[in-house]
Amino acid sequence: MKGSPPASDRRLILCIAIGQLIGWGTLFSAFPLFGAPMEAELGWTRTEFNAGLTLALLVSGLAAVPAGRWVDRRGGRWLLTLGAWGGAALLVAWSQVSALPAYWAIWAAMGLAQATALWSPAMAVVVAQARDPVRAITGITFITGFTATLFIPLTALLIERLGWRDALLALAGLQAIPGLLALGLLPPDRPRTEVRGGSGFDLGRAMRRPAFLGLAGALAAHAFIGVGLGAHAIPLLRERGLAEASIIVLVSLHGPFQVAARLALFALGRRVTMRGVGRLASLLAPVAMLALGLAPPEFAWLLLYVLGWAMADGLMTIVRAAGVAEILGREGYGAITGALTAVTVLPRTLAPVLIALISEGAGGYGPVPWLLAGIGAVGAGCFAMAAAQRNR
C-alpha cells in the first residue's frame, strides 16, 4: 500500500470523498445542533425532536437493500446524484417547518436521501470501480474523517449568525454539490446483470452464514453507539458542566483522531488484515464508553474518551466497507452491505429515542455510558465470531 493511488482511482476518490464529507455533514452530523433552537422556538421535547432522526434511520435501513441491488446491477451515478439533490430539497423543506407532523414527514423522506446518497451505495460504487478498493476506501476516509471537525463548528456558527432556519438553507446549498460531483465525475450507469448482484447470487444464503451474522451483530452494536452519541454527545457533555467552547472542541476532535488512526493503518499496509483491525476497533469502543462513564467533568479526562471512541469509529468505518469484502467476499457486495444496513435498522432507530427516554427518566445522562459500554462489549464478541470464519 505504498505510493499514490492508481491514476484511474484518484477521480473516483475525489468525487466520493467530497460527496460523503458534505452529505454526512449536512444530513447527519449537523442534526443535534438544531435541537435546542427548535425546542426553544416550537416548544417540542427532546424526544419529539430526536424522533425525526429515528424515522430517517428506519426508512434508510429499509431502503438499503434495494439501493445496494441497484448499484450492483446498474451502477450508482444517478442514484448518488438524485439522493444528494433530494437531501438538499428536504433541508429546504425542514427550514420552513412549524408543525411536528410535517417535521416527522420530512425526516422520514430524509431516510430515502440517506439510503441513496450516503455510505453503503457510495462504497458499492468504489468496490465495483476502483482498481484497489481497500486503498481507495482508506483514502476516502482520510477526508471524511474531518466531517464533524468541519460541520459541527460551521453549523454552530451558521445557527448563531443566521438563526436555525437560514442555517438550514445554507446547508442545503452545500448539499447540492455532491450531486454535481457524482453527475460530472462518475462514469455513466450501465446495466451489469451478469456481475455481482446478478441472478447467480443468493442473498438469503449469504445472510445465513455465521460470518454475516457476526458482522451484523458487531455493526448493529457499533451503529447504536455511533447514532446514539451523534444525537446526544453534545447535550451529554453540556450536562457535565463543560464550557460550550470546550464541548465544541471535544466533538470536533473526533475527526482528527479518526484520521490519525487511519494514517496508522495506512502506514502498516498489508502487515494487517481487516479482521485484525476490526478486532481492535470493536474492543476500543466499550473501553471508550467506560472512560466516558468514569471520567470527571474535566476536558483532559474526557479527551481520553474522545480519543478511544474516535479511533474505534475511524477504524470500524474502513472495516464496514473493506472488511465486509475480506470476510464475506465481493460477490453481491452492494446487496450484502445493504442487508447489513437493514439488519442494523432496529438499533439505529432505537438509539436516539431510547437514550432520550433514559436521560429523561433518570433525570440525566448518568446511566448512558454504562449502557453503551455493555452494548460495545457484545459487539466485540460478535466481531470475533465473524473474524474466525473462513471466506468461502
Side-chain angles (χ1 to χ4, degrees):
M1 297 177 71
K2 296 179 180 180
S4 300
S8 60
D9 285 359
R10 292 174 193 161
R11 183 168 172 168
L12 176 65
I13 291 171
L14 179 67
C15 173
I16 298 298
I18 295 176
Q20 293 301 295
L21 173 75
I22 296 173
W24 281 102
T26 62
L27 303 182
F28 185 80
S29 295
F31 176 84
L33 293 172
F34 289 92
M38 290 184 68
E39 291 163 17
E41 178 181 327
L42 302 173
W44 298 347
T45 68
R46 183 182 303 168
T47 301
E48 289 171 335
F49 172 75
N50 281 287
L53 180 59
T54 299
L55 284 169
L57 294 172
L58 175 62
V59 173
S60 67
L62 295 175
V65 172
R69 288 187 184 277
W70 182 280
V71 177
D72 282 340
R73 295 173 176 174
R74 296 176 178 85
R77 181 180 182 226
W78 275 107
L79 191 74
L80 293 176
T81 298
L82 296 178
W85 289 345
L90 289 166
L91 288 171
V92 173
W94 182 12
S95 74
Q96 306 303 309
V97 76
S98 295
L100 189 60
Y103 166 75
W104 286 341
I106 288 166
W107 270 90
M110 189 72 80
L112 290 175
Q114 293 173 344
T116 53
L118 297 184
W119 195 249
S120 290
M123 291 304 100
V125 169
V126 172
V127 169
Q129 296 183 9
R131 290 176 57 190
D132 188 344
V134 173
R135 189 175 183 79
I137 290 166
T138 305
I140 289 166
T141 60
F142 287 156
I143 297 174
T144 58
F146 289 101
T147 299
T149 306
L150 291 174
F151 276 88
I152 294 294
L154 173 62
T155 304
L157 180 64
L158 289 172
I159 293 173
E160 179 185 349
R161 297 290 178 85
L162 304 177
W164 69 269
R165 294 185 185 274
D166 287 342
L168 284 169
L169 293 177
L171 294 179
L174 288 175
Q175 180 54 29
I177 296 173
L180 294 172
L181 289 174
L183 195 60
L185 297 181
L186 293 181
D189 290 339
R190 292 185 178 88
R192 294 178 294 161
T193 54
E194 77 283 1
V195 296
R196 300 167 195 151
S199 57
F201 175 69
D202 186 343
L203 179 60
R205 180 179 178 183
M207 292 176 65
R208 292 190 292 270
R209 292 171 55 185
F212 178 93
L213 297 175
L215 277 174
L219 294 175
H222 189 81
F224 186 98
I225 297 171
V227 173
L229 287 175
H232 291 279
I234 291 174
L236 187 154
L237 292 172
R238 282 175 180 157
E239 184 179 277
R240 295 287 181 92
L242 273 71
E244 191 70 14
S246 296
I247 293 171
I248 296 298
V249 171
L250 283 170
V251 174
S252 298
L253 283 174
H254 187 86
F257 287 157
Q258 277 189 320
V259 172
R262 292 164 183 167
L263 283 172
L265 175 62
F266 190 85
L268 289 171
R270 299 187 184 278
R271 285 173 287 179
V272 297
T273 66
M274 288 296 102
R275 286 176 167 85
V277 173
R279 289 189 184 100
L280 173 62
S282 62
L283 286 171
L284 278 174
V287 170
M289 297 307 106
L290 290 174
L292 177 60
L294 293 170
E298 298 175 10
F299 181 90
W301 285 102
L302 288 167
L303 194 60
L304 295 175
Y305 140 71
V306 174
L307 175 62
W309 169 240
M311 290 178 63
D313 196 28
L315 294 176
M316 189 58 79
T317 300
I318 298 176
V319 173
R320 173 71 176 81
V324 170
E326 179 180 299
I327 295 172
L328 295 175
R330 295 176 65 175
E331 183 182 14
Y333 177 90
I336 286 174
T337 55
L340 285 169
T341 300
V343 168
T344 63
V345 167
L346 184 60
R348 295 173 77 217
T349 53
L350 279 178
V353 171
L354 181 59
I355 292 175
L357 290 172
I358 289 172
S359 67
E360 291 175 2
Y365 282 101
V368 171
W370 309 105
L371 169 68
L372 298 181
I375 291 172
V378 172
C382 288
F383 190 88
M385 181 185 80
Q389 306 299 313
R390 299 184 64 179
N391 184 10
R392 62 185 188 278

